[in-house]
Amino acid sequence: MFKNPFFNNKGPIKLKLIFSACDLNEEKNKINDLIYDVKNLTDSSIKDITFFNSIRYKDDANKTKAKYCITTKKLSSFLPKTCKLLVVNNVLLSLSKVTKIFYPESVSDNFQINLKPLTKKIIKQNKLKIGKNILVGKNVTVGKNSSIGHNTIIENNVVIGANCSIGSNVILRNTIIKNNVHILDNCVIGKKGFGFYPNNNKNFRYPQIGCVIINDNCEIGCGSTIDRGSLSNTVIGKNTFFDNQIHIAHNVKIGDNCVVAGQVGIAGSSIIGNNVMIGGQAGISGHLKIGNNVHIGGGSGVIKNIPDNSKVMGYPATEIKNFLKMKNNND
C-alpha cells in the first residue's frame, strides 16, 4: 500500500471542507466526518477518499475500500455500496482541490534555500567521491561508495543507495534510488509532473504528492527527466536501462530488465511490463498497459494496450508483420 514518504499530510480533514472544495451541498448528518487521506482506488482504505473518472478503471473501482469517492453520475454504479459518493461534473478538477487541502506543500517546486554542502564527516564515513559545487537539502541520505559529479543539486527528500554514481549537473528531489544505480549528466528526477486542468481562463495546478523510485542496477541516460507521481509513485524496475533524453511522466510504472532507446516519451500512468524493448523516438500514450516481453520499434506511436510477447511498429503501432506488409504495399 502506498504511503507518502515525503509530503506532510494535513489530515484528518472534516468532510464539510471537502464538500466545500467540490462545490457540493454538505451532508448535514456527516459534516464532521473525518477523512484521513486522499489516495487512488487500489491503495485507499476505509478512512480515505478516492476518485473514479474513467471506465477503464471499473474493476479497481468495484474493489475499492475507500469511504468516499469523487466521481460522476455515469460512473457511480461501478462503485461498491460501502463507498459513499461525491458526484461532481469534473472529477479531476475536484480531486486536485481536495488533494491541495491534504497536501498544500506539494503544488510548487520552488528552489530550496536551505541547501548546504555535504559534510566532510559523511563523505569520509561513507567513502564518497564528490565533485565540486555539490549542494544537498533536508532529508537526504547517500549510501556508501557512491559518487556525485560536479554542480549537482540534491534537494529535499532524496535517498541514494550504495555503489551509485550521480553525474554532473543533475537535479534530484523526492526520489528514492536503490543500490548500484547510475544517473548520467544533466538528468532532472523527481520534479512535479505535468498536472493541471483548464478552469475557465486559468489553469488549475494539480498537486503531485508521489515520488520517484528507481530500483537496483538501473542506468538513466544523459538529459533524461522522470516526473514524480501524483497520487502514487513513478517506478523504474530493476536492471532497466535508459538511453539519453528519455521522458517519463508521472505515475508511470516500468518493469524489470527493460531497455529504452533515446528520445522516447511515455505519458502519464502507463504501465510497462518486464523485458520490454523500446526503440528510439517512440511515444507511448497515457493510461496504457504494455505487456511483458514486448518489442516496440523506433519511431512508433503506441495508442492502445499491447499484449505480452508482441512486436509492434508504426503509427498507430501495429504488429510488425502488418506494418511491413503495409509498407511494402505502399512502396
Side-chain angles (χ1 to χ4, degrees):
M1 180 176 292
F2 170 65
K3 182 178 180 181
N4 195 297
F6 297 141
F7 291 102
N8 184 29
N9 181 359
K10 299 296 184 181
I13 304 296
K14 288 185 177 181
L15 183 63
K16 64 180 180 180
L17 293 179
I18 294 174
F19 266 75
S20 177
C22 296
D23 297 321
L24 297 173
N25 294 323
E26 298 171 1
E27 293 186 4
K28 293 182 179 180
N29 59 333
K30 296 188 179 297
I31 58 174
N32 292 318
D33 202 359
L34 295 178
I35 309 299
Y36 284 76
D37 206 349
V38 53
K39 295 180 181 178
N40 61 33
L41 288 163
T42 55
D43 291 337
S44 51
S45 72
I46 190 62
K47 294 182 178 181
D48 303 323
I49 188 168
T50 189
F51 73 104
F52 177 37
N53 71 309
S54 173
I55 191 69
R56 72 182 71 189
Y57 297 110
K58 64 180 182 179
D59 292 338
D60 292 336
N62 184 255
K63 298 174 184 176
T64 190
K65 297 179 181 178
K67 190 171 187 178
Y68 289 92
C69 181
I70 301 170
T71 190
T72 63
K73 185 176 181 180
K74 185 177 180 180
L75 295 172
S76 60
S77 61
F78 294 100
L79 288 154
K81 293 181 180 180
T82 54
C83 184
K84 297 162 187 173
L85 309 181
L86 278 68
V87 177
V88 298
N89 293 324
N90 189 323
V91 173
L92 297 181
L93 179 59
S94 295
L95 173 67
S96 63
K97 293 178 179 180
V98 171
T99 305
K100 191 174 180 180
I101 295 174
F102 283 96
Y103 296 95
E105 298 172 358
S106 65
V107 178
S108 176
D109 276 353
N110 291 333
F111 174 72
Q112 304 296 322
I113 61 174
N114 57 349
L115 302 176
K116 298 178 181 179
L118 279 167
T119 65
K120 292 182 179 179
K121 182 179 180 180
I122 292 176
I123 295 171
K124 185 176 181 180
Q125 282 181 344
N126 291 348
K127 300 179 181 180
L128 305 179
K129 296 180 180 179
I130 301 297
K132 296 181 180 180
N133 303 320
I134 309 300
L135 295 175
V136 298
K138 295 180 180 179
N139 194 25
V140 171
T141 61
V142 182
K144 291 185 176 180
N145 302 311
S146 290
S147 63
I148 303 173
H150 306 299
N151 305 313
T152 284
I153 298 176
I154 303 173
E155 297 188 4
N156 297 350
N157 308 321
V158 175
V159 177
I160 298 173
N163 306 308
C164 292
S165 65
I166 310 299
S168 297
N169 303 306
V170 171
I171 298 177
L172 302 175
R173 60 167 73 94
N174 304 302
T175 297
I176 298 172
I177 298 171
K178 301 296 182 68
N179 301 321
N180 306 304
V181 173
H182 302 285
I183 309 294
L184 277 60
D185 298 345
N186 298 305
C187 288
V188 179
I189 300 176
K191 74 175 187 67
K192 65 182 180 181
F194 192 55
F196 66 90
Y197 305 105
N199 185 24
N200 296 325
N201 295 321
K202 183 178 180 181
N203 293 328
F204 191 95
R205 296 185 183 277
Y206 179 75
Q208 308 283 297
I209 66 173
C211 65
V212 173
I213 299 175
I214 302 176
N215 284 290
D216 295 340
N217 307 314
C218 289
E219 180 167 305
I220 310 299
C222 294
S224 295
T225 56
I226 306 177
D227 297 346
R228 69 177 183 264
S230 53
L231 283 184
S232 60
N233 295 324
T234 302
V235 181
I236 311 299
K238 295 179 181 178
N239 197 43
T240 285
F241 276 50
F242 288 178
D243 194 0
N244 300 331
Q245 298 178 335
I246 306 294
H247 176 62
I248 306 299
H250 57 198
N251 304 330
V252 167
K253 308 287 189 296
I254 298 179
D256 299 339
N257 306 310
C258 294
V259 178
V260 184
Q263 298 183 343
V264 165
I266 303 178
S269 299
S270 281
I271 299 174
I272 313 298
N274 299 323
N275 308 307
V276 173
M277 300 182 71
I278 305 176
Q281 295 187 325
I284 299 176
S285 296
H287 301 272
L288 298 182
K289 290 186 178 180
I290 310 302
N292 299 320
N293 311 308
V294 168
H295 291 187
I296 299 173
S300 297
V302 180
I303 59 174
K304 63 180 181 179
N305 296 340
I306 300 177
D308 293 348
N309 307 308
S310 299
K311 294 182 179 180
V312 302
M313 193 169 185
Y315 183 85
T318 185
E319 285 288 339
I320 196 163
K321 291 181 180 179
N322 295 333
F323 172 79
L324 294 174
K325 184 178 179 180
M326 289 187 293
K327 185 177 184 301
N328 290 333
N329 290 337
N330 292 329
D331 288 343

